[in-house]
Amino acid sequence: MSDAAAIEVRGLKVHFANRSGAGAVRAVDGIDLTVARGAFHGIVGESGCGKTTLARTIVGLQKESEGTVLIGGRNRAEWLKSDRKSFSREVQFVFQDPLGSMSRRQSVYQTLEEPLQIHRFGSSVERRRRIAELLDLVALPETVLDRLPRSLSGGQRQRVSIARALALKPSILVCDEPLSALDVSIRAQIVNLFTSLQKQLGLTIVIVAHDLAIVREVCSDVTVMYLGRISEAGVTRPLFREPAHPYSQALLSAVPSPDPRIEAGRRRIILAGDPPSPSAPPPGCRFNTRCPVAIDVCRVEEPMLRSVPHGGVAACHLADSGRRPVI
Amino acid sequence: MSDAQPIYSIEDLVIDLYATTVSVRAVDGVSFNVRPGETVAVVGESGSGKTVMTLGPLGLLPEGVTVDMKGSARADGSELLSIGSRQLSDLRGRYFGVIFQDPMSALNPMLKIGPQLARQARRFAGLSHEAARKEAVSLLARSGIPDPEDRYNRYPHEMSGGMLQRAMIALALAARPRVLIADEPTTALDATVQAQILELIRQIQREDGIAVVLITHDIGVVASVADRVIVLYAGQVAEEGTAMDVLTRPVHPYTRGLLASVPDFRADERAATREIPGLPPNQIRLEPGCRFAERCELVEAGCRQHRPPLQTISASTSPHRVACPVVLKREGIAVHV
Amino acid sequence: MNISAIRDIKDWPWLVLLPVIGFVLIGIFAPAIMPYDPSAQDYSATLEGMSWNHWLGTDYLGRDVFSRIVGGARISLVAMVIVLVAALAIGVTIGSFAGYVGGRVELVLISIIDIALALPSLVIALALIGILGTGYWSMITALTLAWWANYARMSRAVVTAELQQPYIEAARVMGAGHLWIFVRHILPHVLALVVVYASADAGALVLAIATLSFLGLGVAPPTPEWGQMLVDGMSYIEEVPRLVVLPGLALTLVVVSFNLLGEAFALQKVPRPVRGATLRRRRRARAREEAERNAVETGTTSA
Ligand SMILES: Nc1ncnc2c1ncn2[C@@H]1O[C@H](COP(=O)(O)OP(=O)(O)OP(=O)(O)O)[C@@H](O)[C@H]1O
Ligand SMILES: Nc1ncnc2c1ncn2[C@@H]1O[C@H](COP(=O)(O)OP(=O)(O)OP(=O)(O)O)[C@@H](O)[C@H]1O
Ligand code: SF4
Ligand SMILES: [Mg+2]
Ligand SMILES: [Mg+2]
């Protein structure tokens, strides 16, 4: 698996049957994505656009309706079926909700020990040592070890769950908003931790995140999603500097600054209207119902991903390698 | 807005938590208040007591811990720390709206979203069955959830994280409260929806004149919506004042560290964010002196002995107060009496 | 299930537990406690009153009533434990399997469970005894088959609820197999709930065993059994009410105390804040710390 990409997603669709009998919820609706080994890949986009579903499908928590996921060149579905354990030593997942992802009956120690036990890691003394290392990694004091998840603060919980994901020394870490529950100073620590782990161990990290400042800081590449599709992708900094897709532009302009003086005078693009329902995406460009610069063709023809000035790709009729719309 | 009487005020609040294994002094002598139409942001590190401070007086801390509270918390003419649990729960439903940090804990995973909202609206806003249903759908729609009719019949696990968070906001607003306590209301949301939600809260605030207590890690959110800020460290107030004062002229070493660790998306691209070295204190033992001393660059011998008083450095209707005599002395900042 | 649970027993109201423990101990050590062979007849001493020789007197065949009550405790205890363990094993297995596997298998199993639940247990037991014939083992079998469905339904409900929890997915991601997830994460929740109900059911079972024996469908004479003793005593209820009252009392006491035990268990499940002496001690420690801190802070200020 040496030169294969860490993660390759081809034509992925994940649909959920709809309760009221109308069309299925198309949470992920046709995604191609390649994450190179050692990359730090950010996934951003509007709430409900399918980021979590995509991440879950990558690690096999969710079955694909169509398409394939390759991990290090190996078909994920087959790998999971034949050897779940070796797959889990390769790929780990950090959940959005740290509390729910830990058993409420297990102490922190038991929680951290569980993956080691599942993989029959060493004696109990060695496990204890490894757990101490893990606590160090995520900057938690030993005193948390016999506490239950509920009695930890939000930040402490997420650090425990990150420690647990690192326990098996995976080479790919998929994280669903691992930072949302952390406060800023810890965020900085965890982000720095992620980057240093990535450098030390050649870890590949895919991170779903809302904090764009952090994405810009740590992610080498970024994918912007809108309504189950990729709307724009590329190298983070150039993309953030001159986003080609109108949605990305709106998204980036909505990020508030910590400086109230900047906040007072800043221009924001406020998107009109509500996000469309993922069970009935609009015809043509998925963004056309809210796009300030939409033209007639946007309402009938779906734009394909094409090269744009920042070097990445975007799915917008008004953008190509020479120009981009500015709203 | 600042001349109105506070509609919720906390005075010298001390909260001890006794859990099976540890005793924690989560809140250690905090005072603050909010007035109608005002937004007060509470910021501080994880574990600094933000949640306990705001939910404790409302009797909303998780079961399984014994909670001892001293001091005072007044709302609607009642002393929350001494009224009966019946009155408290009535007040909670009618007077306070709470957006919980962990949306899953506030919603019942076994029940559909819509009916949970409708029940809340029926109970506290006194609506009829049909009206409550309509209100619930419209709340879902107002909080920006696409397809509210369909979502009405969905279970919590079938919604995305951001939608749940929005449903939570809808739930908190269902009873039309006077004081909205929002514990990290936008952390699970992307920037565009975050802007929408903050706009929703602002709009309701304008319409109904409610007071908002906003707990958040996101300094950007504070900068864009808060009138005043309280910076909490280890259960004590380190600094407070208007958002403008605290965010643009931070004085307390902790506040400065905190702000330095926030990457500014609008400013130039910078190198790695700075972290505040060291661990937050565990609040299990009560140490004398300044709680930040362990991690402070300016620490002096006296810091570990005197509890630094909150001193006023600019007296307006919302005074800027700082609990660090050392920095005031060093930088020659005058103290108002 | 773990050490802390055992430590918590300290906080239980012992008063509630005492009769249950008494019953169990008496059942276990019955042979050592009984002064006489409970089935030994002594025609020279029929229907005797209470005396030093026969603490609770004798019955119409001259058998020692005290020995018979103690012996009856043992019989009830053994039969009850066998039925409970068997019913729990069957119920938890079928219910958990249904909940875990889901789909069509679950639907079929649920229908079976629901049918079993629709009929009162005792009616099922009676019908089964009608098929199996009377006798000790057929009573045990009948009661087991009448009792399992309840546990099956509860187990399934718990399994279904727990499976939805994200931490189960977390375990999957860590590479855990189904067995691991079931044994480590789901079974404890199932047992925690089911055991509570089982402890309350124990009383009802003792009663059911007595009822069947009373009807002549369970334990056959001359084995000492409380239901049996009630039947025997009925003929003498005018002259020697003791023969009915004593086994009746024993039965009532056991049933009530098991119900209380069930309740105590149910309360255990609710996480309880620290209280009592521990809380007082920790509050004092906190107050002391606070005083020390104030002393340091104010002491040096004035110096
Ligand atoms: N149920 C509990 N049992 C024991 N300790 C608790 C409990 N809840 C909170 N604490 C402790 O009280 C302190 C304050 O916690 P709190 O939840 O208020 O922090 P916070 O500022 O809201 O943090 P976060 O930003 O992570 O949510 C922490 O030290 C925490 O460990
Ligand atoms: N189990 C499910 N059944 C039905 N619909 C689902 C299910 N899980 C997700 N969805 C729907 O799929 C869509 C995408 O959800 P997803 O959780 O992937 O969004 P997201 O991008 O992670 O959003 P957020 O940023 O708010 O977490 C949403 O419309 C959601 O309601
Ligand atoms: S294709 Fe049209 S509607 Fe879509 S983003 Fe571009 S301009 Fe807007
Ligand atoms: Mg998500
Ligand atoms: Mg909190």
Side-chain angles (χ1 to χ4, degrees), chain B residues 168-197:
Chain B
M168 273 303 307
I169 293 168
L171 187 66
L173 295 173
R176 306 206 158 258
R178 307 295 312 143
V179 180
L180 178 69
I181 293 180
D183 196 352
E184 312 279 358
T186 59
T187 28
L189 303 175
D190 71 282
T192 50
V193 179
Q194 170 176 301
Q196 249 178 0
I197 291 291

Side-chain angles (χ1 to χ4, degrees), chain A residues 186-252:
Chain A
I186 310 285
R187 250 183 229 190
Q189 284 179 11
I190 298 287
V191 163
N192 292 346
L193 167 73
F194 273 141
T195 28
S196 76
L197 283 170
Q198 189 213 12
K199 283 192 195 109
Q200 277 171 36
L201 313 169
L203 216 56
T204 307
I205 301 180
V206 174
I207 189 170
V208 175
H210 286 307
D211 188 332
L212 297 181
I214 288 205
V215 169
R216 182 176 68 185
E217 200 177 296
V218 301
C219 294
S220 46
D221 311 276
V222 66
T223 296
V224 185
M225 286 178 65
Y226 187 81
L227 211 62
R229 285 273 181 116
I230 292 178
S231 59
E232 186 162 8
V235 176
T236 311
R237 289 188 182 217
L239 189 154
F240 276 19
R241 214 175 296 123
E242 44 173 24
H245 198 283
Y247 171 67
S248 314
Q249 293 175 24
L251 180 67
L252 293 172

Side-chain angles (χ1 to χ4, degrees), chain B residues 107-188:
Chain B
L107 290 166
N108 183 340
M110 296 304 202
L111 299 179
K112 292 174 183 167
I113 294 282
Q116 297 195 51
L117 289 175
R119 182 168 160 269
Q120 192 79 355
R122 225 169 37 237
R123 226 171 109 201
F124 297 112
L127 297 178
S128 73
H129 216 89
E130 197 38 44
R133 195 199 134 86
K134 285 220 182 73
E135 173 80 7
V137 173
S138 99
L139 279 166
L140 288 174
R142 261 171 96 184
S143 46
I145 294 181
D147 231 355
E149 286 283 349
D150 176 62
R151 305 291 163 186
Y152 189 93
N153 284 320
R154 293 214 167 246
Y155 291 93
H157 76 268
E158 295 177 330
M159 314 251 287
S160 81
M163 280 178 202
L164 270 183
Q165 193 70 26
R166 283 185 268 176
M168 273 303 307
I169 293 168
L171 187 66
L173 295 173
R176 306 206 158 258
R178 307 295 312 143
V179 180
L180 178 69
I181 293 180
D183 196 352
E184 312 279 358
T186 59
T187 28

